[in-house]
Amino acid sequence: MSQNAALAPHASVWEGPLLDGFGRLHTDLRISVTDRCNIRCFYCMPAENVQFRPREELLSFEEIARFVCVAVRLGINKLRLTGGEPLVRHDLHKLVALLAGIPGVRDLALTTNGMLLAEQAEALRRAGLRRLNISLDTLSPSAFRQIARRDGLERVLEGIAAAQRVGFDSIKLNAMAIRGITEAEVVPLARFARQRQLELRFIEFMPLDAEGRWQSDQVLSGAEILQLLEAEFGRLVPVPPKQPGQPASDYRYQDGGGLVGFINPVTQPFCHDCNRLRLTAEGQVRNCLFSTVEWDARALLRGNGSDADLAWLIRQCVAAKKAGHGINSEEFVRPQRAMYQIGG
Ligand code: SAM
Ligand code: SF4
């Protein structure tokens, strides 16, 4: 369901922090730049015949930058570009340069499947991208094909190597945690990350797959993965969070092998600390991955909406945020959109 914000009532729309009804301060914005993707992970997209949004429906780079300028005036200071696969959006480095140049943007990151990273890493870094998360669920070409329903592991590995050569402030690897698949990948992925001095994070499988096949017993919990890692590498020591609202629980290997993290939205929801908003590729603002309501920023961007109208829309969206996603409750309603249509 999409909502049009009533026009901004008065100038005070610019005053005060971006707080929701539970006192959570919003500082992070995830921006999806496309719903398209060059692979078809079963936990995210349909296998075939995907209905993508027509290109003219997607926000232009200038529209995204205008939205971000308004959001930054309200207190947003961290941005992450995502999708779909953000690197399939033509000339993405130009958007990075636009956003990196907005005063008040303190952090600019990107989540990618890595397939096109070898070609783009340098341009992205030069444009001002600071941090990268690269998804890597397996080091086995056949498991990759089973998960992504396309070939491509070699390209992802080349992308990771290219990103390391270019030198970002931080590069993290994201691995999905799915029972029956991930157990065999945990130790090889951890060895790979340790050798390359990359932080690896395991993410619990959420009910956002396009085919609607998610079952709670497919969730391989962070606690179970921690046990598998400790059996191989010895006891892991918890590391205090670096920032408020950080979704990952980080641990340190005692032998100096770096950090490993767990994002446990299903078994340990972190909604009480959530500081995020999301902008979909076609300009809908969401206050949660699991929102069933959206606020239509594109209508304002393409109509004659003022910056104050956009600010008011953002405030309304934040104010309506629920206490939590409720995945584990009986009343939980899956959102109509799948992960690739929201922006993970
Ligand atoms: N295409 C890019 C990628 O895969 O990194 C960016 C978009 S993808 C939707 C962002 C992240 O969401 C990825 O790390 C992916 O593993 C994760 N993801 C996708 N579907 C998910 C699901 N059902 N539950 C939890 N995480 C999911
Ligand atoms: Fe594409 Fe990322 Fe979804 Fe995989 S998780 S299908 S790479 S958008």
Side-chain angles (χ1 to χ4, degrees):
M1 196 201 337
S2 185
Q3 308 243 322
N4 277 306
L7 290 187
H10 42 75
S12 68
V13 71
W14 298 111
E15 284 163 22
L18 203 46
L19 286 170
D20 70 11
F22 301 89
R24 293 171 294 196
L25 180 65
H26 285 66
T27 52
D28 282 31
L29 176 66
R30 301 221 155 191
I31 302 167
S32 174
V33 295
T34 180
D35 56 350
R36 283 163 203 266
C37 188
N38 40 9
I39 56 177
R40 295 286 183 273
C41 306
F42 76 87
Y43 47 72
C44 176
M45 288 187 96
E48 303 296 340
N49 304 320
V50 190
Q51 296 297 311
F52 293 116
R53 297 263 170 193
R55 282 176 202 280
E56 63 276 12
E57 288 191 11
L58 304 191
L59 293 190
S60 67
F61 290 171
E62 291 69 27
E63 287 168 336
I64 294 173
R66 180 170 167 220
F67 182 89
V68 168
C69 284
V70 171
V72 166
R73 275 183 75 181
L74 293 176
I76 296 290
N77 54 40
K78 279 182 78 177
L79 306 178
R80 177 174 293 277
L81 301 178
T82 182
E85 171 47 36
L87 300 192
V88 304
R89 179 88 188 242
H90 195 56
D91 283 341
L92 187 74
H93 62 97
K94 293 185 179 165
L95 176 63
V96 169
L98 267 180
L99 300 181
I102 295 175
V105 173
R106 296 222 307 260
D107 186 32
L108 182 50
L110 170 90
T111 303
T112 173
N113 64 25
M115 297 275 289
L116 297 172
L117 194 53
E119 297 92 306
Q120 297 187 35
E122 201 172 336
L124 291 167
R125 181 71 188 103
R126 239 190 279 126
L129 189 69
R130 307 261 300 270
R131 299 191 302 115
L132 268 182
N133 285 47
I134 306 171
S135 298
L136 181 70
D137 298 334
T138 176
L139 291 164
S140 143
S142 62
F144 186 96
R145 193 174 312 120
Q146 199 193 344
I147 294 168
R149 303 185 283 204
R150 298 283 188 278
D151 286 320
L153 178 62
E154 274 310 309
R155 291 175 69 183
V156 178
L157 297 178
E158 284 163 24
I160 294 171
Q164 289 202 277
R165 279 196 299 276
V166 167
F168 286 89
D169 292 356
S170 132
I171 303 176
K172 292 186 178 131
L173 300 179
N174 287 354
M176 284 293 297
I178 301 176
R179 192 177 304 285
I181 295 177
T182 307
E183 293 90 332
E185 311 294 339
V186 169
V187 170
L189 283 172
R191 281 216 184 91
F192 176 88
R194 283 161 53 95
Q195 276 163 8
R196 282 162 184 76
Q197 297 178 311
L198 295 169
E199 187 175 335
L200 171 66
R201 287 172 153 192
F202 291 95
I203 308 174
E204 289 177 351
F205 183 20
M206 294 182 274
L208 290 168
D209 57 312
E211 289 163 341
R213 301 215 175 122
W214 179 91
Q215 303 271 346
S216 58
D217 60 7
Q218 289 175 297
V219 179
L220 181 66
S221 71
E224 290 170 273
I225 295 178
L226 182 66
Q227 280 187 357
L228 295 174
L229 287 170
E230 288 193 324
E232 181 69 22
F233 300 105
R235 204 172 84 76
L236 287 158
V237 184
V239 177
K242 283 187 213 106
Q243 285 150 12
Q246 171 184 311
S249 309
D250 288 334
Y251 287 76
R252 188 179 300 287
Y253 295 103
Q254 282 187 304
D255 63 359
L259 297 181
V260 60
F262 302 93
I263 301 182
N264 301 334
V266 183
T267 64
Q268 289 180 305
F270 35 83
C271 306
H272 57 281
D273 252 354
C274 181
N275 57 5
R276 294 183 187 171
L277 280 180
R278 293 169 191 274
L279 179 65
T280 69
E282 81 285 9
Q284 304 300 304
V285 191
R286 299 170 68 88
N287 54 29
C288 178
L289 267 177
F290 294 94
S291 296
T292 49
V293 184
E294 300 178 332
W295 281 259
D296 190 354
R298 191 182 60 188
L300 292 176
L301 288 163
R302 295 197 178 166
N304 58 1
S306 65
D307 285 358
D309 294 334
L310 278 169
W312 182 240
L313 175 140
I314 293 172
R315 283 205 186 274
Q316 285 189 307
C317 173
V318 170
K321 186 155 171 156
K322 292 188 179 158
H325 56 50
I327 293 176
N328 301 312
S329 85
E330 301 232 321
E331 296 83 52
F332 174 68
V333 181
R334 274 186 68 127
Q336 282 175 347
R337 289 177 185 258
M339 190 62 128
Y340 74 102
Q341 299 165 312
I342 302 171

